[in-house]
Amino acid sequence: MALVERLHWNYPSVYLRWTVVAAILVSVMLAQIPMVLNADLGWLLTVNEKILAGKKLGVDLFESNPPLSVYMYMPAAILAGMTGAPPEFIVIVLVIGGILSTLLVIDRAAKHARYETKDRNLLAWCFALLLAVLPGATFGQREHIAVVALTPFVAMTAIRWRCLNPGPIAILAGLGAGLAISIKPFFALVIGFPIVVAIMRQRSIRPLLTIEASAAAATAISYAAFVAAFFPAYLFNYAPMVTEAYLPIRREFGSLVVIPISVIGASLGFLRIAASHKVMTWSEAAPWLAASVGGAASFLAQGKAWPYTALALCVFAVSGPLLLYWRNRASTSVVAAGCFIILLIGIFLSKPAPGFPPLELRVEALVKHPRLLTITDHIGLGHPLVRELDGVWVGSSCAQLLAAGAILREQDPQLSDDIRVKLDNIIAFERRQLLNGLRDGRPDVVLVDTYLFSTNRFDWLTWAKSDPETRAELNRYREVEGVGRVRIFVSESQVGERARF
């Protein structure tokens, strides 16, 4: 007898459903404690701590993503300050709570739509695995939280696809979708593709007018108005620099498209096996597959080829055929195969950025709890290293990301004079921020990269010293060693203090 059927008959279903979910979520929470602190999370927690200390975003601190990407971690920073718990642990707890909320919303909608108990169990278990296990080392990042928030919206679309009514709980699904768009506007593609497919199927715009679609649109528009009103410096000063210098930096389309083709192709192959008796274009898996195509479009639109930007693509590419197969054939071997696929994708999404050697022990041997600054375009050089060292970050941004983008774009001989002037101004802005970090922050340790976007050799030290004032500040530092692609500089005062001992 199939595994799910055995479980269904041997235990009260409602207790079974949430017992399995609780086991998955608690296991993931414990597993994430030693691995959750990634570069993005480390930087954003640091930003929030500085904001709580009185710094202002857009004045003293700069982040390339919209303000919500920063402030969404503020509850963790506040709770960490109140409780004394590590903020990254608070993030784990809050994200697990968000996943549980998502599962409850989907379950309430499924109940209102009169789904069978078995289908409700499978929905809960499938998305507990996909949202908690599959992200791997990207757990708690912006993309992960956004996918958790928008999943109920796709579930509402799947319920309506079966000509059922999810009920008023769909409003919460719409709010979550609006939140995801506010975190990263690219997620509008993940939400929009299922709507488009539903419009094509019904030959009507009614899917665009559902309560969840209206709530999503209202949330996103309200957030845009809020940013315009309360963060004008970001919207009118910093965001245009990001648009000019960073967004155009993309991998070649040929290298980008391999991942979406592979993932969606595997999903369609799995669907063929799951419904070999009758594979229809508009199958019950269509809304989930449409969301995965939207995830693929988001991945391609961002153009950076970072594995975590493929999270939405992978979650929904797996969910559709997996749900269909489990419901029809739920055998032990299929459950095992599904879990194995999730594990493999999680490993892919957890693939670290190449290039940086382990630096924690080397820097700690030079200076305890250092004031730290980096000269690089990569966030992963300084973060989460500064938190692991229990040090102090003295920069105003995570890296010289915009300068790197401008430097790379200026290599184009066909660039217009107007664009070149804008890029020169962006580089000058980044130089000023670096100078301020050196002059006002007085770092003990400065880490200097030797690559541009981890692909081309680039002398960041020469770039920094081309400005006379910055050169004068850097002359107070002595290079003590090079580790891989990283040059380590220590202030002369720290070198003198070490010499006395």
Side-chain angles (χ1 to χ4, degrees), residues 50-72:
K50 288 185 175 294
I51 291 173
L52 290 175
K55 300 289 187 180
K56 293 184 178 180
L57 186 65
V59 178
D60 308 301
L61 301 165
F62 299 93
E63 161 60 30
S64 58
N65 288 283
L68 183 59
S69 292
V70 174
Y71 283 99
M72 64 192 289

Side-chain angles (χ1 to χ4, degrees), residues 322-363:
L322 195 59
L323 283 169
L324 186 61
Y325 203 77
W326 278 6
R327 190 172 75 243
N328 292 341
R329 301 187 181 186
S331 66
T332 304
S333 60
V334 173
V335 173
C339 293
F340 181 68
I341 290 170
I342 291 169
L343 178 63
L344 289 179
I345 294 176
I347 292 172
F348 161 73
L349 294 173
S350 301
K351 186 172 66 174
F356 290 119
L359 294 170
E360 182 180 358
L361 295 178
R362 292 179 182 269
V363 175

Side-chain angles (χ1 to χ4, degrees), residues 210-480:
T210 60
I211 57 173
E212 61 268 25
S214 300
T219 302
I221 292 170
S222 298
Y223 170 72
F226 180 85
V227 170
F230 293 97
F231 296 95
Y234 171 81
L235 191 62
F236 300 111
N237 297 331
Y238 198 67
M241 289 194 288
V242 174
T243 302
E244 196 68 59
Y246 179 63
L247 293 185
I249 305 301
R250 303 173 48 83
R251 294 288 185 91
E252 293 182 359
F253 183 80
S255 63
L256 287 172
V257 78
V258 172
I259 291 175
I261 289 176
S262 301
V263 173
I264 294 176
S267 180
L268 292 172
F270 195 32
L271 177 61
R272 175 77 185 190
I273 297 171
S276 57
H277 57 288
K278 189 176 182 182
V279 179
M280 299 176 61
T281 303
W282 307 118
S283 70
E284 291 181 6
W288 306 108
L289 292 176
S292 74
V293 174
S298 172
F299 176 80
L300 295 173
Q302 293 178 73
K304 301 300 187 286
W306 295 326
Y308 67 82
T309 59
L311 181 60
L313 161 65
C314 295
V315 165
F316 298 116
V318 173
S319 62
L322 195 59
L323 283 169
L324 186 61
Y325 203 77
W326 278 6
R327 190 172 75 243
N328 292 341
R329 301 187 181 186
S331 66
T332 304
S333 60
V334 173
V335 173
C339 293
F340 181 68
I341 290 170
I342 291 169
L343 178 63
L344 289 179
I345 294 176
I347 292 172
F348 161 73
L349 294 173
S350 301
K351 186 172 66 174
F356 290 119
L359 294 170
E360 182 180 358
L361 295 178
R362 292 179 182 269
V363 175
E364 189 174 36
L366 296 169
V367 183
K368 300 291 185 183
H369 314 303
R371 299 174 65 81
L372 186 67
L373 187 66
T374 61
I375 305 178
T376 178
D377 58 70
H378 202 302
I379 185 175
L381 179 54
H383 305 276
L385 176 64
V386 68
R387 302 185 71 85
E388 294 168 342
L389 294 167
D390 194 21
V392 176
W393 180 255
V394 300
S396 59
S397 61
C398 63
Q400 287 70 46
L401 184 62
L402 299 187
I407 291 168
L408 194 61
R409 288 202 66 198
E410 285 190 337
Q411 295 176 6
D412 181 2
Q414 298 181 349
L415 206 63
S416 69
D417 291 339
D418 290 342
I419 298 292
R420 200 172 293 277
V421 168
K422 291 181 181 179
L423 295 176
D424 286 340
N425 290 336
I426 291 170
I427 293 173
F429 171 83
E430 289 275 63
R431 288 188 190 279
R432 288 195 302 272
Q433 300 309 314
L434 175 61
L435 177 61
N436 292 339
L438 290 165
R439 181 178 288 167
D440 301 333
R442 293 298 179 191
D444 302 311
V445 177
V446 178
L447 303 178
V448 182
D449 198 1
T450 55
Y451 274 82
L452 188 69
F453 289 115
S454 297
T455 53
N456 303 317
R457 294 283 298 185
F458 183 77
D459 192 342
W460 278 102
L461 185 64
T462 299
W463 173 84
K465 285 188 171 184
S466 62
D467 174 68
E469 292 181 278
T470 304
R471 181 170 62 250
E473 294 296 329
L474 286 172
N475 285 340
R476 300 176 183 179
Y477 292 82
R478 184 181 302 174
E479 184 171 4
V480 294

Side-chain angles (χ1 to χ4, degrees), residues 140-165:
Q141 288 195 22
R142 295 183 296 264
E143 281 73 8
H144 180 212
I145 295 173
V147 170
V148 170
L150 65 82
T151 296
F153 185 95
V154 184
M156 301 306 115
T157 307
I159 290 172
R160 293 187 189 278
W161 189 271
R162 298 170 67 175
C163 300
L164 301 172
N165 181 9

